[in-house]
Amino acid sequence: MKLRNRGRGKATLALLFMCIAALLLAGFRSGAGGEAVTASAAADVIISEGAGLEQGLELLVTAGRKSTEPGSPLRLVLKWQGEYSGNAAESAEAAAGLAERLGLGTPEHSEEDGHTTFRAAASFNPSGKTSLFWSGIDQSRSYVIVTLETADLLKATAFQAAAQEAGVQMQAAGIEPEWNVSLQGVASTQGTPREALVHTEQAIAAAISGLQAVEDYEDETTYSRSYSVPGLARYVSSGKHAVAMQTAVHKNGNNNSNRVTIGLPLITIEY
């Protein structure tokens, strides 16, 4: 199965629920947010246990700094995702409690495509934002996504602490979350997306041993590859491959520059 993640804008809420359903059937607890993994791909995804958030962030930042223009902003998006079991009243109470513990205030309640949802968001420092998306799947289950994002990781000194705290608070709410994280910046090499991605691979390989490309995708403006990385416990199963990292280079049509995105274990944002 090829990872054909084009990341062109946000997926619809309906696609999100299709992905969630597929993930639950596959036993994939952390999900992929419905933005970067198609519903068909999600059914084959299984997350392994044991990989730490701190290790993942350190690896991603190292790879990002080596493959982007020096001094350019590094956008980082981390998602905690998991399932909550409880009826409608319990879910509403748990969503409000989680939002409060995350410092997001009272969540907004709405009905979206027949699903009860709760949303809340707040800044945790001048360049960081935390958001909560809580959606009912059926009468006894909800799916919860807590997203932490910073436009420039180099200025977000509290990001790692906020990310770890979000995972702790989700567990306190009765959710066993898993994380995925993506980093994005201006590629250090221009030219075609393929040329830029090859350079990106060389830079990452200098910092991460055993990087092996297993799948790729290419169109007129984008080139993407996924990799197995021996020693990384966190991976997704895609066909016969254990994918631990994905990279993508996209040519920006507005200024003709290359944007590089790196995801562990997959990219779950627009690239």
Side-chain angles (χ1 to χ4, degrees), residues 78-103:
L78 183 142
K79 299 181 182 182
W80 286 102
Q81 304 177 221
E83 183 183 351
Y84 175 83
S85 297
N87 60 34
E90 293 168 337
S91 294
E93 182 178 357
L98 179 57
E100 181 179 0
R101 288 192 296 273
L102 291 173

Side-chain angles (χ1 to χ4, degrees), residues 4-87:
R4 301 201 170 189
N5 172 358
R6 303 190 185 189
R8 305 297 180 89
K10 293 186 177 180
T12 63
L13 188 64
L15 177 58
L16 173 62
F17 288 117
M18 289 173 63
C19 290
I20 290 171
L23 295 170
L24 293 174
L25 288 172
F28 175 44
R29 293 184 298 157
S30 68
E35 291 179 308
V37 177
T38 65
S40 61
D44 294 328
V45 174
I46 301 174
I47 286 289
S48 70
E49 300 289 345
L53 174 60
E54 183 175 358
Q55 176 200 23
L57 287 175
E58 289 178 357
L59 185 154
L60 194 59
V61 171
T62 298
R65 284 177 170 170
K66 287 184 175 293
S67 58
T68 59
E69 288 188 352
S72 63
L74 296 177
R75 179 191 178 209
L76 191 72
V77 181
L78 183 142
K79 299 181 182 182
W80 286 102
Q81 304 177 221
E83 183 183 351
Y84 175 83
S85 297
N87 60 34

Side-chain angles (χ1 to χ4, degrees), residues 29-30 80-84 142-144 170 175-178:
R29 293 184 298 157
S30 68
W80 286 102
Q81 304 177 221
E83 183 183 351
Y84 175 83
S142 299
Y143 203 75
V144 185
M170 289 185 77
I175 303 162
E176 290 297 328
E178 296 284 359

